[in-house]
Amino acid sequence: MIGTFGICFVLNLHLWTEYYKSLQKQKRLTEYYELDTCEKMENRFSIDLKKGELKYFHFGIGSIIGMDEILGSKYDIEYYSMGCILRSEMECYNKLIDKHLKKKFNKSISDIQKETDFYKLTESE
């Protein structure tokens, strides 16, 4: 019984930490929904660049498998899968991200997508 309690406690602790991370990510994303013009997004990009807290907003049916890990680990950019509804002001931010990547790493978002497992799977077929 003590063992079962211990296992349940550890599992609940793990679930709580995952939930907390998700909640924090959602809170950060909410700040960007409030920015409703390209000019506001460009200003936010400048602030994020100085802080080293860049984001990339992906639009489409699903997220690109492995893109969040690659952007996070290699380029220090947080990845958000936004679904199908395109937000033009977030695309303005994404264009600035693309320019930043080309300037700093000599790569575009398209080049980075080719590094993902998803791209490797679709190319092999």
Side-chain angles (χ1 to χ4, degrees):
M1 196 147 125
I2 293 172
T4 304
F5 174 77
I7 291 170
C8 289
F9 179 74
V10 169
L11 288 175
N12 280 321
L13 188 61
H14 173 71
L15 287 174
W16 186 84
T17 57
E18 290 299 314
Y19 173 73
Y20 181 75
K21 284 187 227 175
S22 176
L23 197 61
Q24 292 294 59
K25 191 171 184 176
Q26 187 64 34
K27 183 180 174 185
R28 288 189 301 274
L29 183 59
T30 302
E31 296 174 19
Y32 292 85
Y33 270 107
E34 295 171 1
L35 305 173
D36 55 358
T37 65
C38 277
E39 184 178 328
K40 289 179 183 178
M41 278 293 190
E42 289 168 358
N43 292 336
R44 183 59 191 247
F45 175 82
S46 298
I47 293 167
D48 289 350
L49 185 59
K50 288 176 187 172
K51 289 182 175 180
E53 298 175 353
L54 296 174
K55 319 284 188 275
Y56 178 74
F57 307 103
H58 175 260
F59 296 94
I61 291 176
S63 63
I64 300 172
I65 300 168
M67 189 73 164
D68 53 342
E69 290 94 11
I70 290 172
L71 280 176
S73 63
K74 291 185 178 180
Y75 306 100
D76 201 26
I77 297 173
E78 194 169 7
Y79 177 82
Y80 290 90
S81 181
M82 304 298 292
C84 295
I85 299 174
L86 182 69
R87 295 189 49 129
S88 60
E89 62 277 0
M90 289 182 175
E91 276 298 304
C92 292
Y93 190 100
N94 284 349
K95 288 177 185 176
L96 295 170
I97 288 291
D98 203 42
K99 287 180 185 178
H100 168 73
L101 288 169
K102 287 178 184 174
K103 183 178 177 183
K104 189 170 181 179
F105 300 102
N106 198 27
K107 289 188 175 186
S108 67
I109 284 293
S110 298
D111 296 333
I112 294 169
Q113 286 177 350
K114 292 176 184 174
E115 298 175 23
T116 63
D117 293 337
F118 177 76
Y119 185 84
K120 293 173 187 171
L121 285 172
T122 58
E123 285 297 306
S124 66
E125 292 180 2

